[in-house]
């Protein structure tokens, strides 16, 4: 009997009740507040029409052209003005960069764009504002993984919640834009502490028969908050009050941090048996269930801890990933070289990392590209969140019946095709642009959801977390580039975002062709299992802890 099956038997005895629901509600609620932070660019730092305000001795730069139909077109340079040049004693004009602008406040009353003049030569700072958050998640994901394994899931979740929402509220009064960029980076660092640690904590207290449902339910708050984000932004057009309005509600469930327990699985694996007993007894009391006698529980916990990866590596005299983190943080990163040890493992690492890079760039690119795909950014955000709901739910029975590989590839191809088609739709058909954009968003959301499940099943147990962590880093790199493609390159070449994101989705689908299907296949535990040309089929035999097994443990 495996370590997982012994602990899963304990979870089955505990059942699902108030103790479990407290985790689901609290973590899902906090996750809802992450979407406004990561998708804040369209409403807090949007593109705003602006007009240069030259000084008294300056003049607006105006040019005149004639289009193909013979019509006169007047254009104004909103980044430069003409100033009198008298330094040489003669008359004349010179072109000078504008330093003051008049902003169109018809859509937004106040934005970071207008407050800090993020236009013209400073236009790139708008994309930087979004990318700093993504860069923070890039750094924070592997660090959080190491710290979560060492100090516990609840510990990192608590740190993440307290720091994230304190800074999110405090950012409303930062007077300099460099300070706001610094806060965005720290928020990105804390994002994995809430999202990843919370997700792992919730799944580790869920009995096996409900894990697939819980995994889906924990994804739904993101879609719901995306819709709510568009609605709240429509009602509040001043960036500081908007930021405050979506940050303060997170404080309502701060008392839940006092009642949430540490993951009993983590406590047992790390040898904290007394704390684990307290948690299990509290869970049984809240769920109105019973546990085995204390002596049997202790024996079972010792067996689980003995069979864990940490114990096995310690017995061989090798540092485990957790122990390596205690020695030096760099060790956690150096261990990722293991992912390139064998041919099949190298293939998985490269293909899945490439997929995460492409799908993340496409997903966030479609989420942030309202300026090109919709005349109304608020409607685009709400509908964009709405189409994610079927992407996260309808695919669950499909992948359970048809597998992971081909549904994922189909989602990639459909998404890539419709997104690329957006580049060739003539102006004046905004309804068609919006429809295709939402179909592409729904399919790429579904592909993202399947990819996480597929990745967890492809990598062997001994490198599964390393593999997912490496792929997550690749996804963050992709999300860093998205704002520059949509808000920096898009205004210059309007078709560039559609062609880039559409081609990315199609290439991601093609790259998955060499991978094997995992439906009905036993998960590989070791790298040797992965290299086996004939993987074992899933064994549905009962894994419960029998009386005979308990007798062996007592002996």
């Amino acid at each position: 009997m495996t370590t997982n099956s012994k602990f899963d038997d304990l979870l089955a005895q505990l059942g699902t009740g108030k103790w479990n629901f407290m985790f689901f509600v609290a973590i899902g609620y906090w996750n809802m507040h992450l979407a406004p932070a990561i998708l804040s660019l369209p409403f807090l730092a949007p593109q705003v029409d602006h007009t240069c305000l030259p000084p008294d001795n300056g003049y607006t730069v105006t040019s005149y052209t004639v289009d193909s139909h013979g019509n006169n077109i007047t254009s104004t340079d909103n980044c430069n003005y003409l100033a009198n040049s008298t330094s040489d004693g003669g008359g004349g004009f010179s072109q000078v960069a504008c330093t003051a602008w008049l902003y169109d406040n018809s859509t937004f009353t106040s934005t970071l764009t207008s407050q800090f003049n993020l236009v013209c030569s400073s236009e790139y700072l708008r994309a930087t504002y979004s990318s700093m958050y993504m860069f923070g998640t890039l750094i924070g994901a592997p660090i959080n993984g190491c710290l979560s394994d060492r100090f516990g899931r609840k510990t990192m979740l608590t740190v993440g919640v307290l720091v994230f929402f304190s800074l999110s509220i405090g950012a409303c009064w930062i007077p300099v834009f460099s300070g706001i960029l610094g806060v965005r980076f720290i928020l990105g660092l804390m994002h994995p502490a809430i999202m990843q640690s919370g997700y792992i904590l919730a799944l580790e207290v869920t009995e096996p028969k409900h894990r697939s449902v819980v995994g889906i339910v924990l994804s739904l708050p993101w879609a719901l908050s995306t819709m709510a984000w568009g609605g709240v932004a429509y009602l509040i057009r001043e960036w500081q009050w908007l930021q405050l309005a979506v940050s303060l509600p997170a404080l309502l469930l701060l008392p839940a941090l006092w009642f949430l327990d540490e993951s009993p699985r983590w406590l047992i694996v790390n040898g904290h048996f007394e704390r684990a007993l307290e948690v299990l007894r509290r869970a049984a009391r809240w769920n109105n269930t019973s546990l085995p006698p204390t002596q049997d529980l202790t024996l079972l916990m010792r067996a689980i801890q003995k069979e864990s990866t940490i114990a096995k590596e310690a017995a061989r005299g090798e540092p485990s990933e957790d122990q390596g983190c205690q020695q030096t943080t760099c060790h956690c990163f150096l261990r990722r070289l293991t992912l390139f040890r064998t041919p099949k493992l190298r293939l998985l690492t490269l293909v899945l990392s490439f997929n995460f890079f492409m799908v993340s760039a496409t997903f966030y690119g479609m989420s942030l590209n309202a300026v090109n795909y919709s005349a109304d950014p608020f409607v685009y955000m709400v509908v964009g969140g709405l189409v994610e709901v079927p992407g996260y739910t309808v695919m669950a029975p499909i992948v359970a019946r048809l597998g992971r590989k081909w549904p994922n590839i189909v989602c990639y191809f459909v998404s890539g095709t419709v997104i690329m088609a957006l580049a060739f739709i003539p102006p004046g058909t905004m309804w068609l642009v919006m429809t295709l954009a939402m179909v592409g968003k729904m399919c790429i959301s579904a592909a993202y959801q399947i990819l996480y499940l597929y990745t967890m099943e492809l990598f062997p147990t001994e490198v599964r977390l390393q593999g997912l962590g490496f792929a997550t880093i690749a996804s963050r790199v992709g999300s860093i580039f998205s704002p520059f493609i949509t808000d920096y390159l898009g205004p210059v070449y309007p078709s560039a975002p559609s062609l880039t994101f559409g081609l990315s989705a199609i290439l991601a689908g093609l790259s998955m062709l060499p991978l094997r299907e995992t439906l009905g296949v036993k998960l590989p535990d070791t790298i040797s299992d992965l290299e086996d040309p004939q993987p074992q089929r899933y064994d549905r035999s009962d894994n419960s802890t029998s009386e005979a097994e308990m007798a062996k443990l007592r002996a």
Side-chain angles (χ1 to χ4, degrees):
M1 182 180 295
T2 64
T3 299
N4 287 338
S5 64
K6 289 178 180 177
F7 188 79
D8 286 346
D9 182 51
L10 271 179
L11 290 177
Q13 288 183 270
L14 287 174
T16 301
K18 292 186 294 183
W19 183 73
N20 309 83
F21 282 115
M22 181 174 58
F23 286 91
F24 307 154
V25 171
I27 292 171
Y29 182 79
W30 288 320
N31 285 347
M32 288 184 66
H33 295 79
L34 298 181
I38 203 169
L39 300 177
S40 61
L41 180 65
F43 303 133
L44 268 60
Q47 290 183 357
V48 180
D49 292 336
H50 52 281
T51 303
C52 179
L53 291 178
D56 294 337
N57 65 336
Y59 302 90
T60 301
V61 180
T62 305
S63 59
Y64 303 92
T65 58
V66 179
D67 62 14
S68 58
H69 300 287
N71 300 318
N72 293 324
I73 300 176
T74 302
S75 60
T76 302
D77 187 347
N78 292 316
C79 295
N80 301 282
Y81 66 91
L82 294 177
N84 285 325
S85 178
T86 58
S87 59
D88 56 357
F93 295 93
S94 61
Q95 189 165 284
V96 181
C98 190
T99 57
W101 292 267
L102 177 66
Y103 292 94
D104 179 8
N105 295 327
S106 59
T107 302
F108 301 98
T109 304
S110 173
T111 64
L112 289 168
T113 306
S114 58
Q115 180 171 333
F116 296 103
N117 294 323
L118 308 182
V119 294
C120 298
S121 60
S122 298
E123 173 76 16
Y124 73 97
L125 290 175
R126 292 181 50 254
T128 303
Y129 166 81
S130 184
S131 292
M132 283 298 290
Y133 189 98
M134 307 297 188
F135 183 63
T137 63
L138 169 67
I139 304 299
I143 293 178
N144 174 72
C146 292
L147 296 180
S148 181
D149 284 341
R150 179 179 179 183
F151 297 109
R153 285 76 164 104
K154 183 197 170 181
T155 300
M156 294 309 301
L157 176 65
T158 301
V159 172
V161 168
L162 294 177
V163 174
F164 187 97
F165 295 113
S166 297
L167 288 181
S168 183
I169 295 171
C172 300
W173 293 279
I174 295 180
V176 293
F177 190 68
S178 59
I180 291 178
L181 291 181
V183 167
R184 291 285 292 175
F185 175 76
I186 299 175
L187 291 178
L189 281 177
M190 295 298 106
H191 181 102
I194 301 175
M195 179 71 78
Q196 293 180 359
S197 297
Y199 188 82
I200 292 172
L201 179 59
L203 290 186
E204 287 185 345
V205 300
T206 304
E207 57 179 313
K209 66 179 181 180
H210 295 314
R211 279 189 189 137
S212 59
V213 175
V214 171
I216 293 172
V217 170
L218 289 177
S219 299
L220 285 178
W222 176 275
L224 298 176
S225 64
T226 301
M227 291 187 285
W229 174 228
V232 175
Y234 176 80
L235 298 174
I236 305 175
R237 308 295 181 92
E238 203 279 328
W239 80 267
Q240 290 171 311
W241 287 109
L242 177 59
Q243 172 89 0
L244 198 61
V246 297
S247 301
L248 281 177
L251 303 181
L252 294 176
L253 277 187
L254 280 186
L257 291 172
W258 178 264
F259 297 99
L260 288 180
D261 292 310
E262 181 57 83
S263 166
R265 185 188 298 266
W266 181 85
L267 291 172
I268 293 172
V269 167
N270 286 272
H272 304 298
F273 299 144
E274 291 298 325
R275 288 179 59 193
L277 278 173
E278 293 178 6
V279 171
L280 292 173
R281 287 168 181 162
R282 185 180 301 111
R285 186 168 60 253
W286 281 42
N287 289 355
N288 196 26
T289 58
S290 59
L291 288 172
T294 302
Q295 182 181 3
D296 289 349
L297 270 179
T298 303
L299 290 172
L300 194 59
M301 288 190 294
R302 292 189 181 280
I304 292 173
Q305 200 264 349
K306 183 179 180 181
E307 293 179 7
S308 69
T309 303
I310 295 175
K312 287 182 178 179
E313 291 180 335
R316 294 196 300 262
E318 300 175 1
S320 68
E321 183 172 357
D322 181 65
Q323 291 171 324
C325 293
Q326 295 181 35
Q327 296 167 5
T328 169
T329 304
C330 295
H331 184 77
C332 298
F333 298 97
L334 293 177
R335 283 179 57 83
R336 303 197 187 282
L337 295 176
T338 305
L339 297 173
F340 298 90
R341 183 185 302 171
T342 66
K344 288 188 178 180
L345 195 54
R346 282 195 297 270
L347 176 66
L348 284 183
T349 302
L350 294 175
V351 170
L352 294 175
S353 297
F354 177 79
N355 267 261
F356 268 88
F357 176 88
M358 293 299 189
V359 73
S360 181
T362 304
F363 176 82
Y364 288 110
M366 295 301 295
S367 299
L368 299 173
N369 206 19
V371 67
N372 290 327
Y373 296 149
S374 174
D376 191 326
F378 309 104
V379 172
Y380 184 87
M381 186 65 69
V382 172
V383 178
L386 181 63
V387 299
E388 288 185 37
V389 175
Y392 294 144
T393 56
V394 174
M395 293 308 299
I398 292 178
V399 298
R401 184 176 182 86
L402 301 180
R404 287 68 159 132
K405 176 179 176 179
W406 286 106
N408 207 358
I409 291 176
V410 169
C411 287
Y412 276 134
F413 283 171
V414 174
S415 178
T417 301
V418 298
I419 293 174
M420 289 188 70
L422 292 169
F424 304 99
I425 296 178
T429 54
M430 187 56 70
W431 66 270
L432 181 58
V433 172
M434 183 72 168
T435 301
L436 292 180
M438 291 299 100
V439 172
K441 175 74 179 301
M442 179 179 65
C443 292
I444 202 64
S445 301
Y448 213 162
Q449 184 75 359
I450 300 172
L451 184 60
Y452 265 101
L453 173 63
Y454 197 27
T455 300
M456 293 293 289
E457 293 178 340
L458 283 170
F459 277 113
T461 300
E462 63 176 308
V463 294
R464 186 165 292 134
L465 290 178
Q466 296 179 46
L468 183 60
F470 193 88
T472 301
I473 291 174
S475 75
R476 300 311 177 196
V477 175
S479 61
I480 288 173
F481 285 106
S482 293
F484 289 95
I485 297 173
T486 58
D487 285 75
Y488 200 59
L489 184 62
V492 181
Y493 304 101
S495 61
S498 299
L499 294 175
T500 301
F501 298 137
L503 183 61
S504 297
I506 291 176
L507 290 177
L510 290 174
S511 69
M512 300 197 79
L513 292 175
L515 302 184
R516 64 179 177 86
E517 178 57 67
T518 59
L519 178 64
V521 176
K522 185 178 180 180
L523 298 183
D525 290 322
T526 65
I527 297 177
S528 299
D529 293 338
L530 177 67
E531 298 297 321
D532 189 348
Q534 294 182 340
Q536 299 180 10
R537 306 298 296 179
Y538 179 64
D539 183 7
R540 297 182 179 273
S541 60
D542 182 19
N543 284 327
S544 61
T545 306
S546 63
E547 287 296 326
E549 182 72 19
M550 287 304 305
K552 292 180 181 179
L553 292 176
R554 295 189 189 99

